[in-house]
Amino acid sequence: MKKDEPPFDFPDTLEGFEYAFNEKGQLRHIKTGEPFVFNYREDLHRWNQKRYEALGEIITRYVYELLESDCNLKKISIPVDATESEPKSFIFMSEDALTNPQKLMVLIHGSGVVRAGQWARRLIINEDLDSGTQIPFIKRAMDEGYGVIVLNPNENYIEVEKQKMHKQSSSDGTDEPAGKRERRDKISKETRKRRDFYEKYRNPQKEKEMMQLFIRENGSPEEHAVYVWDHFIAQAAAENVFFVAHSYGGLAFVELMIQREADVKSKVTAVALTDSVHNVWHQEAGKTIREWMRENCCNWVSSSEPLDTSVESMLPDCPRVSAGTDRHELTSWKSFPSIFKFFAEASEAKSSSQKPALTRRSHRIKHEEL
């Protein structure tokens, strides 16, 4: 017989969960030193999943704190002209992000539960902070004299309880006749009573019904990328702008190119994609964009081949090389040293007005294959 499900009542701090990150950045149980255990209660998958999600929310806040305290980034609220009451999101920037005359690095994560500063929640919880967060990229970038902007493309809406919204809207006052409203309320009361009765048996822990209030001009990762470009990156003083975009972040970058092609071409020196899911055909990227991507982008894809080995592409866009891992979520971390080398070469090539380093490199790889 299936056990009764305990309440979805979880701690809201790492200490409450009895976990902490050790000096290697690994999440460990405070008392046992063991890694995180997903199946905390057997036969209760939904409860275990809710517990994992609750821990994930704490991790998100923890990484935000590290971006400010450990990386010295500033949290910037968006939309920049938001009113007091409207839904807001935020990004993170280094002090010199807009004023650094030389170099600016922009980081974009993939889709799903990850937020600013993360590559993969699963890696943070099960492996370590270095592989799962963008912190190593941020620190090395700052050490090498880059300004940094960290995007937050999945923070597209805030959630509010439906009941609260309903109360708010129904108290706004309507022209509906009182008798009609009473009859309707009586019917909906009966329906609700009956539904709650069955719901009690079917789903003993009824979760709150939430509704989403989208953030103006940031309602999707693609919108967010364009918004941050227009209000921040386009205003930056840096002569060389570099992007690192993982998975869906690559699609968001290609969409940005489609929307702001001339601006991107004039400001961006090189783009490192990691297992990007962009598709130049589906996204209808024009010929001039595809040509620019071939010259200035490189996609480090999941592959069992050694790092930087050329990987055949079916699509006529940027060169693809191995990230040195066949695990999608690890591609950013594994290609970390190669990405910084790629940016340095692209920078050098631009300043000496040679052909882009990437083009020479991809021709060399093709030649070697022959």
Side-chain angles (χ1 to χ4, degrees), residues 109-157:
H109 58 59
S111 60
V113 295
V114 288
R115 294 293 183 269
Q118 302 180 43
W119 295 127
R121 178 186 283 182
R122 192 190 320 173
L123 290 176
I124 297 170
I125 292 175
N126 299 319
E127 313 242 340
D128 56 28
L129 287 165
D130 275 355
S131 61
T133 74
Q134 298 172 344
I135 291 170
F137 281 82
I138 296 164
K139 286 186 169 176
R140 178 159 171 186
M142 290 170 87
D143 284 347
E144 292 190 9
Y146 290 82
V148 175
I149 296 181
V150 177
L151 268 62
N152 204 4
N154 295 335
E155 193 74 14
N156 307 129
Y157 54 81

Side-chain angles (χ1 to χ4, degrees), residues 90 160 306:
F90 48 87
V160 292

Side-chain angles (χ1 to χ4, degrees), residues 135-236:
I135 291 170
F137 281 82
I138 296 164
K139 286 186 169 176
R140 178 159 171 186
M142 290 170 87
D143 284 347
E144 292 190 9
Y146 290 82
V148 175
I149 296 181
V150 177
L151 268 62
N152 204 4
N154 295 335
E155 193 74 14
N156 307 129
Y157 54 81
I158 60 165
E159 285 195 319
V160 292
E161 239 182 293
K162 255 188 182 170
Q163 275 177 322
K164 284 180 185 170
M165 282 302 290
H166 179 66
K167 276 176 194 163
Q168 215 174 317
S169 55
S170 59
S171 65
D172 288 348
T174 63
D175 299 330
E176 193 179 20
K180 192 178 175 186
R181 191 163 63 239
E182 276 168 26
R183 276 198 307 279
R184 196 201 59 214
D185 287 350
K186 193 180 175 189
I187 292 164
S188 67
K189 205 173 180 182
E190 287 300 314
T191 310
R192 200 158 56 242
K193 211 171 168 184
R194 204 162 46 240
R195 193 190 61 208
D196 289 350
F197 176 76
Y198 288 117
E199 191 68 27
K200 208 172 177 183
Y201 286 90
R202 195 179 65 79
N203 180 5
Q205 288 188 74
K206 188 170 180 295
E207 293 172 55
K208 290 174 185 169
E209 275 193 273
M210 307 297 278
M211 71 179 291
Q212 299 166 349
L213 300 179
F214 282 86
I215 295 159
R216 177 165 53 89
E217 294 180 83
N218 288 272
S220 70
E222 296 90 325
E223 263 191 25
H224 177 73
V226 171
Y227 185 87
V228 177
W229 176 274
D230 288 347
H231 292 83
F232 299 94
I233 305 165
Q235 326 292 331

Side-chain angles (χ1 to χ4, degrees), residues 302-327:
S302 47
S303 162
S304 51
E305 294 293 325
L307 179 65
D308 293 331
T309 308
S310 180
V311 175
E312 209 45 60
S313 173
M314 303 295 285
L315 292 172
D317 60 1
C318 58
R320 288 155 42 104
V321 297
S322 171
T325 177
D326 51 14
R327 287 173 61 190

Side-chain angles (χ1 to χ4, degrees), residues 16-27:
F17 267 95
E18 298 192 323
Y19 280 97
F21 285 99
N22 64 18
E23 65 289 342
K24 290 179 182 169
Q26 301 161 321
L27 189 67

